[in-house]
Amino acid sequence: MKITKLLAYQVDLPLHEGRYNWSGGKSVAVFDSTVVRIETDEGVVGHGEVCPLGPVYLPSYAAGVRAGLAELGPHLIGADPLSLGALNRLMDSRLKGHPYVKSAVDMACWDILGQRAGEPVSTLLGGRHGEDVILYRAISCEAPEAMAARVADYRAEGYSRFQLKVGNDPDTDIERIRAAAAKLKPGDRLVADANTGWLPHEAMRVVRAVRDLDVYIEQPCATYEECLSIRRHCDHPFVLDESIDDIGTLLRAHADGAMDVANLKISKFGGLTKTRLARDLCVEMGVAMTLEDTWGGDIVTAAIAHLAHSTPEAFRFTATDFNSYVTRDIADGAPRRKNGRMAASTAPGLGVAPRAEALGEPALVIDRAA
Ligand code: MG
């Protein structure tokens, strides 16, 4: 099989809640997502999606996806989408770094492979574990009482895992964590995700001030070394996210005992192929995972569902259903949250069919080899 055409579509994804706020006053109102469509000489068509969390979360940005695809795309014409290892090596040999650019291409090729095999991507990634996947709800940074109220509201929707966006003023963050923790019920899990927002002295104050609470601490500081230092001074379960962006950092963090949970985002690693490797290493090393992406709509959510559903349940700390945060449905067949959980599609491939009217005209069409 050969890739004959690559198209990219720009899609705006507004939020039901209007805005999403996280550390350092950072905020997004409308997410800028890119859907990739890959056509082949055998008529099989695959789709992928990538959506950076704005331009200042990771070294990635929405327009950079499209610019990167314009650079990379001509090298993919004529390549075999079924040979995912070779395809990833080809992408890495033609564009150094920029894993997020490659993520939607790799995802679309998994969709093609699944359709060709007649199997859902979750089967190809290792097989389904359990009936469904437990989701977490990210709680946008607001005043402490408003965030605590959200915990109760989201529990009413079926969620039992709550990720508070903190990483702003440490005194208010302590109040945020305390107010939210007061709303927890048995079996709930609370994560305080500072998204690199605290300096080490601030992080030290926060973890001391909430020491009596059952709360996970996620990525308190900007650098790996700063996070490791906080980790060694606190006894909360500890999650690393922004610092874990490739296999090398994952192995180093495990060797240093720097985390209990790793947050694996598909586009951070550059697609499902490399995230599967990270996932499988975490299972071997005994590290639980949050399985997700930097944001997205129906196609990203479908890919997360396949990755998470094919991960042994004991290692699935949680996952995300981004398509329930945004107001636009861009594909049919995507998983829909039910009682705080979602299940991967059992249809071949990713199991999604993008809606032509939601995608509009392509922002990029590549049908000639480099
Ligand atoms: Mg995080």
Side-chain angles (χ1 to χ4, degrees), residues 50 60 75 108 127 152 253 262-263 294 310 334 360:
V50 64
S60 63
H75 299 288
N263 185 314
T294 47
S310 63

Side-chain angles (χ1 to χ4, degrees), residues 57 163 165 193 195 218-219 241-242 263 265 292:
Y57 172 64
Q163 190 201 66
K165 290 293 154 186
D193 187 356
N195 287 113
E218 180 162 340
Q219 192 76 35
D241 183 350
E242 286 90 332
N263 185 314
K265 292 182 163 74
E292 59 169 348

Side-chain angles (χ1 to χ4, degrees), residues 10-13 28 30-34 50-52 61-63 65-66:
Q10 189 273 328
V11 181
D12 282 337
L13 299 174
V28 170
V30 177
F31 282 93
D32 180 343
S33 195
T34 300
V50 64
C51 183
Y61 66 107
V65 174
R66 273 104 57 187

Side-chain angles (χ1 to χ4, degrees), residues 277-347:
L277 175 58
R279 186 273 311 268
D280 290 345
L281 285 167
C282 281
V283 170
E284 288 300 317
M285 299 188 301
V287 176
M289 289 159 274
T290 289
L291 297 152
E292 59 169 348
D293 209 333
T294 47
W295 212 273
D298 286 316
I299 303 171
V300 158
T301 303
I304 292 169
H306 286 288
L307 178 69
H309 215 144
S310 63
T311 300
E313 289 175 277
F315 294 91
R316 263 177 355 218
F317 179 55
T318 190
T320 320
D321 61 322
F322 286 114
N323 63 349
S324 79
Y325 290 64
V326 300
T327 62
R328 294 187 70 194
D329 296 336
I330 61 169
D332 295 313
R336 298 286 162 200
R337 184 184 76 237
K338 216 167 148 188
N339 206 20
R341 293 163 175 266
M342 72 174 172
S345 168
T346 54

